[in-house]
Amino acid sequence: MWTASLGLRAMGPARYALGDAIGAAIYASSPGSRRRCAENHRRLDPSLDARAARRRALASFRNYARTSVDFVWQYGVPVHAMHRHFRAYGLEHAHAALDEHGGGVFALAHFGSWDVAAGCGLASGLRVTAVMAPVGPDTVTRIAAWARRRQDMEVLVSSNAARGLIRAVRRGRFAAILSDIPDRGETVIVNFCGGPVAFSTAAAWLARVAKVPVMPVDCWRHRGLYRLVVHPPVAVEPGESDAAVTQHVATGLEAAIRRHPEWWYPFGEIYQR
């Protein structure tokens, strides 16, 4: 990982040519995924014709590959050097959560780079705990978990994460949860990106149980730099259901996807009907 990271750092922005090639190859060899991705982009933006939807789907594949390359690239970037590669907005919301509640919950979608978001957060003084599901063969999953832990990210396995997340936010950490496309756990149907989509209620549940705020977070690349955006907290009112809070979270996450849809990764069956 260290050697690969050094090699990608030496390449500079040219590393994205490698990412584009990988993304284009996966796009070409995955007819089902590329068809679903194009259909989902048309659901998000009905003004797209079939050709434009295919172009946007290809951009999603390429950007996902770029963020995968940057997962390795980031491994060898020292924390103090990360500030050269990103700009952060809304950090005051996270710091207020620490001061007033002792921790918080970050809710993210399959948009941009959640791994780079964690690195940017660490460089900004925010410690992150994440839940990780398998990302392929067991060896690949172990390497990914090891690399994330090396970057001071606390990684919990998805099968036994609830208590660990509560302990984390009570120790001054932020629980980072990918809310859309959940692979397990309690879900609700929310209105998201043009249709009904299943969202995990984990962020809302954790915020209510641990009495901490939940904040939508985006991280994507723009004009040569990553942009980490921490949005204002979603209020969890007394007696408000997890479904209602989750809808507020989904609405907050959708805004960035609509502005930059090429950084969205709708490769599977996203909509419920």
Side-chain angles (χ1 to χ4, degrees):
M1 282 288 290
W2 184 261
T3 301
S5 177
L6 289 178
L8 291 172
R9 289 174 65 193
M11 292 175 67
R15 67 185 181 275
Y16 293 128
L18 173 62
D20 288 348
I22 294 172
I26 296 173
Y27 176 87
S29 61
S30 308
S33 293
R34 70 172 183 254
R35 174 184 54 79
R36 287 190 296 270
C37 188
E39 290 173 351
N40 291 331
H41 273 296
R42 292 191 77 177
R43 185 74 175 265
L44 173 69
D45 184 357
S47 69
L48 295 176
D49 60 23
R51 185 175 181 181
R54 288 194 296 271
R55 286 199 300 268
R56 191 162 287 177
L58 175 58
S60 288
F61 274 82
R62 284 177 167 170
N63 280 330
Y64 185 76
R66 285 185 172 203
T67 62
S68 298
V69 168
D70 275 349
F71 170 68
V72 180
W73 160 83
Q74 179 188 282
Y75 179 82
V77 179
V79 171
H80 69 270
M82 274 299 293
H83 287 287
R84 297 199 299 266
H85 304 289
F86 77 97
R87 296 292 181 267
Y89 305 88
L91 290 179
E92 67 273 12
H93 303 306
H95 293 309
L98 282 175
D99 293 340
E100 298 171 17
H101 304 278
V105 181
F106 291 152
L108 301 93
H110 284 77
F111 169 86
S113 176
W114 40 94
D115 284 303
V116 174
C120 297
L122 178 61
S124 301
L126 307 176
R127 297 181 300 159
V128 176
T129 296
V131 178
M132 181 175 169
V135 294
D138 183 64
T139 300
V140 176
T141 299
R142 287 175 179 270
I143 291 173
W146 171 76
R148 288 166 177 160
R149 288 175 177 133
R150 284 274 296 176
Q151 294 173 313
D152 198 35
M153 181 192 296
E154 185 179 31
V155 179
L156 306 176
V157 295
S158 57
S159 60
N160 188 28
R163 290 183 179 179
L165 289 173
I166 293 173
R167 287 195 298 267
V169 298
R170 288 175 175 170
R171 289 187 286 111
R173 302 184 73 95
F174 288 87
I177 297 175
L178 279 169
S179 296
D180 64 328
I181 320 177
D183 67 330
R184 66 187 67 195
E186 296 293 326
T187 63
V188 294
I189 303 300
V190 299
N191 183 25
F192 180 69
C193 292
V197 177
F199 256 57
S200 170
T201 61
W205 172 84
L206 181 59
R208 177 171 49 80
V209 171
K211 296 181 174 58
V212 296
V214 53
M215 292 155 280
V217 171
D218 315 315
C219 184
W220 75 101
R221 192 171 175 84
H222 179 67
R223 295 182 178 177
L225 294 172
Y226 275 94
R227 296 170 62 92
L228 174 69
V229 181
V230 180
H231 295 277
V234 172
V236 183
E237 302 294 345
E240 189 173 24
S241 68
D242 288 349
V245 174
T246 302
Q247 179 61 71
H248 295 321
V249 168
T251 300
L253 293 171
E254 180 178 335
I257 293 173
R258 288 195 175 275
R259 287 193 299 269
H260 306 283
E262 69 279 4
W263 286 97
W264 186 37
Y265 312 129
F267 301 139
E269 299 290 345
I270 303 298
Y271 300 99
Q272 299 300 299
R273 60 178 183 272

